[in-house]
Amino acid sequence: MNIQTVLETKVKEAILSIFDKELPAVEFQPTRKDFAGDITVVVFPMLRVVKGNPVQIGEQVGTYLKEQLDVVKDFNVVKGFLNLVISDSFYIEFFNQIKNDSQYGLVEESASDAIMVEYSSPNTNKPLHLGHIRNNLLGYSVAEILKASGKKVYKTQIINDRGIHICKSMLAWQKYGDGETPVSSGLKGDKLVGNYYVKFNDIYTNEIKELVANGIDEKVAEKEAPSLLEAQEMLRKWEAGDEEVVALWKKMNSWVYEGFAETYKNMGVDFDTLYYESDTYLLGKDVVADGLKKGVFFKKDDGSVWIDLTDEGLDEKIVLRSDGTAVYMTQDIGTAIQRVKDYSDINGMVYTVGNEQDYHFKVLFLILKKLGFSWAEQLYHLSYGMVDLPSGKMKSREGTVVDADDLMVDMTDTAAQISEELGKLDAYSDEEKQELYKMVGLGALKYYILKVDPKKRILFNPEESVDFQGNTGPFIQYTFARIQSILRKANDTGVVWSEAVPSSFELHEKEKELIKQLQIFPETIQLAAANFSPALIANYVYDLVKEFNSFYQQVSILGETDKEKKALRVQLSHTVGTVIESGFRLLGISVPQRM
């Protein structure tokens, strides 16, 4: 049992017994390194219930706890902080319970508590880029963390496979592609189609320049450039079901899907179900019509339909154009409702979308609530900041994006270069080396992105991320590999480390600190799930690794002559390795057995 759970009950009991007052909650924090103790009860919040001197209150509560609980060995009070020394036997009992549990910290899935997590959601006119990498890594990791916290999770995406931007790529390929295919060009399908999106933009830009040179206003030129008019006509034909246009659309999209599948596989993310905008863009129109009758929406003179959210501090938002066509909001309303129909056990949804869409999701969630959907209370926008490189921002139209595939290859190459410089892979085959380079390179990329709070903007430095020192993926992977080496040597030398640790065993300070860090893994998973934040898992694992390395440097493990001490330290190493692996699995990162 968590020590906080034990103490909270007794602290409340102490306040009731001593002061005849009921304490609603107890605040804990780790004891500062410069004071004796393992856990601290913060007395100041109690003053709202119990009047008096915080030091005296702390002394009285400390005395009560020491008398009533065998696990409280001693205490001291510093100002308004009650520092408690917890007995070694408590930590040993806890450690004996978890040391062989490969699922420690993970909660079994609850079939009645399901949630859908949406991420990726790309356009089919270009390959995935660095921004998509953060989106995918966040969404996938949050889904895995929610699963580990006990929820049933459905991973999904909505693929933006229709619209004027898709027609731009199609038109450019039709006019200038000369039948080029992924096979004939040797390019991944998404890259091939993306090249034609850039091609369209180049032609369109030149057409605008020519029109402006001929005396046409630039704003007019942007709307009347021949290529744009042709793309708009192609979109009208697609919406009308023109066979030739639809066949071209299907062919080029199929190329893109094959390319996406390869990228997702290399990135290590997956999905349970897919939604396509071509199937969902008409959804929501009936809902809007029904909402209009109920007075949720109102119609303007031009026939367009809106919702007035000024009372909620927002503004008026269009949900249907004057010509009766849907806008993105209409589609998102319909898609959300459709998902709940498709998966009736869903209690909530998480939308992994960049922070430029914050307002959109505020409006969407509010509209769904006003339409009377109870599950709308459980919708969450996992908003995240942009990812920049030292070279600057990315622009898809100009072909200056950082391609996701290229970045993953670059990360693997960087890992290879640094690993070769460290020179510890002489016994590896070429195949084993390549597998390790990829594991380290992708681990570096994923960890660097996921250790940052999702809301913060990131300046991604590839070389810094592959550093084998500091708060990086490779540093943690290296520590895991070191632990596996210890375990192999322990087994080779016949160390018996599977037996229970005697409750009378006296722990070294570093052993105790390591067990205390292990103890907070389950609550860290729950906290990360509640906050939709992989950063909490990433930084927990880093803190655990720092604590292990301090332990490793200050106590002898395999060189220890006392058999009981050696057995405990090997067991501790094993359990730390298990938790590192579990924590990294929640981030989508693999760990190497050797390094």
Side-chain angles (χ1 to χ4, degrees), residues 49-120:
V49 175
V50 181
K51 305 303 178 188
N53 183 304
V55 175
Q56 290 177 349
I57 294 169
E59 292 282 353
Q60 288 173 282
V61 172
T63 301
Y64 185 92
L65 294 177
K66 190 174 178 181
E67 289 172 353
Q68 297 291 322
L69 282 174
D70 292 340
V71 298
V72 178
K73 188 177 176 184
D74 204 354
F75 72 92
N76 63 84
V77 180
V78 181
K79 297 181 180 178
F81 300 94
L82 169 60
N83 304 317
L84 302 173
V85 179
I86 306 302
S87 68
D88 287 357
S89 61
F90 176 86
Y91 290 108
I92 290 167
E93 183 183 350
F94 159 76
F95 182 65
N96 280 330
Q97 288 172 358
I98 69 148
K99 63 189 178 70
N100 293 318
D101 183 3
S102 62
Q103 300 300 303
Y104 170 61
L106 312 181
V107 178
E108 194 172 330
E109 178 187 288
S110 168
S112 62
D113 195 7
I115 190 166
M116 181 171 275
V117 182
E118 175 192 293
Y119 54 96
S120 195

Side-chain angles (χ1 to χ4, degrees), residues 285-298:
K285 291 179 72 173
D286 291 342
V287 178
V288 169
D290 188 51
L292 194 57
K293 291 176 188 173
K294 293 177 180 176
V296 176
F297 306 113
F298 70 94

Side-chain angles (χ1 to χ4, degrees), residues 275 337-344:
Y275 287 84
I337 296 166
Q338 186 62 48
R339 285 173 174 170
V340 177
K341 286 178 182 175
D342 293 343
Y343 297 88
S344 57

Side-chain angles (χ1 to χ4, degrees), residues 99-160:
K99 63 189 178 70
N100 293 318
D101 183 3
S102 62
Q103 300 300 303
Y104 170 61
L106 312 181
V107 178
E108 194 172 330
E109 178 187 288
S110 168
S112 62
D113 195 7
I115 190 166
M116 181 171 275
V117 182
E118 175 192 293
Y119 54 96
S120 195
S121 304
N123 296 327
T124 58
N125 65 325
K126 56 192 173 186
L128 304 177
H129 55 62
L130 178 55
H132 289 116
I133 285 182
R134 187 175 198 189
N135 183 301
N136 276 275
L137 298 185
L138 270 175
Y140 177 84
S141 181
V142 164
E144 292 299 309
I145 290 167
L146 288 168
K147 239 190 260 184
S149 76
K151 292 187 182 295
K152 183 176 183 179
V153 177
Y154 298 106
K155 303 172 189 171
T156 193
Q157 63 171 320
I158 182 162
I159 299 169
N160 303 302

Side-chain angles (χ1 to χ4, degrees), residues 104-105 517-525 537 540 579 582-583 586:
Y104 170 61
Q517 189 66 27
L518 288 169
Q519 197 174 42
I520 61 175
F521 183 49
E523 69 184 70
T524 303
I525 292 176
I537 297 292
Y540 165 81
V579 172
S582 291
L586 299 182

Side-chain angles (χ1 to χ4, degrees), residues 143-359:
E144 292 299 309
I145 290 167
L146 288 168
K147 239 190 260 184
S149 76
K151 292 187 182 295
K152 183 176 183 179
V153 177
Y154 298 106
K155 303 172 189 171
T156 193
Q157 63 171 320
I158 182 162
I159 299 169
N160 303 302
D161 64 342
R162 63 165 289 278
I164 191 67
H165 49 296
I166 309 299
C167 289
K168 288 175 180 178
S169 296
M170 290 163 59
L171 181 69
W173 182 86
Q174 189 181 61
K175 293 180 73 172
Y176 308 102
D178 196 26
E180 186 179 30
T181 68
V183 173
S184 69
S185 65
L187 289 172
K188 278 177 78 227
D190 51 337
K191 287 183 171 39
L192 178 66
V193 173
N195 287 345
Y196 283 100
Y197 182 62
V198 174
K199 176 78 172 173
F200 176 91
N201 188 65
D202 291 342
I203 294 163
Y204 174 59
T205 303
N206 288 331
E207 288 175 349
I208 293 170
K209 287 178 182 176
E210 287 179 22
L211 291 170
V212 171
N214 289 328
I216 295 176
D217 179 76
E218 187 173 354
K219 293 291 183 187
V220 175
E222 287 173 359
K223 293 179 181 178
E224 295 185 357
S227 291
L228 180 63
L229 296 177
E230 286 183 83
Q232 289 171 339
E233 176 59 22
M234 182 175 274
L235 179 57
R236 279 191 288 273
K237 286 182 176 180
W238 180 89
E239 290 181 345
D242 180 278
E243 286 187 16
E244 186 181 339
V245 171
V246 170
L248 175 61
W249 170 76
K250 286 181 177 178
K251 177 167 67 175
M252 292 183 70
N253 273 350
S254 71
W255 295 343
V256 174
Y257 298 146
E258 287 177 10
F260 283 172
E262 188 178 328
T263 304
Y264 290 140
K265 184 180 178 182
N266 289 334
M267 202 184 295
V269 302
D270 58 12
F271 304 91
D272 299 309
T273 183
L274 305 178
Y275 287 84
Y276 297 88
E277 189 181 337
S278 56
D279 294 330
T280 64
Y281 80 106
L282 295 177
L283 290 176
K285 291 179 72 173
D286 291 342
V287 178
V288 169
D290 188 51
L292 194 57
K293 291 176 188 173
K294 293 177 180 176
V296 176
F297 306 113
F298 70 94
K299 188 175 283 190
K300 289 195 175 182
D301 292 340
D302 64 354
S304 58
V305 181
W306 297 67
I307 187 167
D308 185 356
L309 300 173
T310 52
D311 287 349
E312 283 80 10
L314 304 177
D315 57 11
E316 293 182 349
K317 184 72 177 179
I318 189 170
V319 293
L320 212 61
R321 295 190 186 96
S322 57
D323 62 1
T325 56
V327 293
Y328 272 115
M329 186 61 71
T330 330
Q331 174 186 305
D332 285 349
I333 292 167
T335 304
I337 296 166
Q338 186 62 48
R339 285 173 174 170
V340 177
K341 286 178 182 175
D342 293 343
Y343 297 88
S344 57
D345 55 342
I346 290 175
N347 295 323
M349 281 182 263
V350 178
Y351 294 82
T352 312
V353 183
N355 57 15
E356 70 277 4
Q357 295 295 329
D358 283 354
Y359 186 79

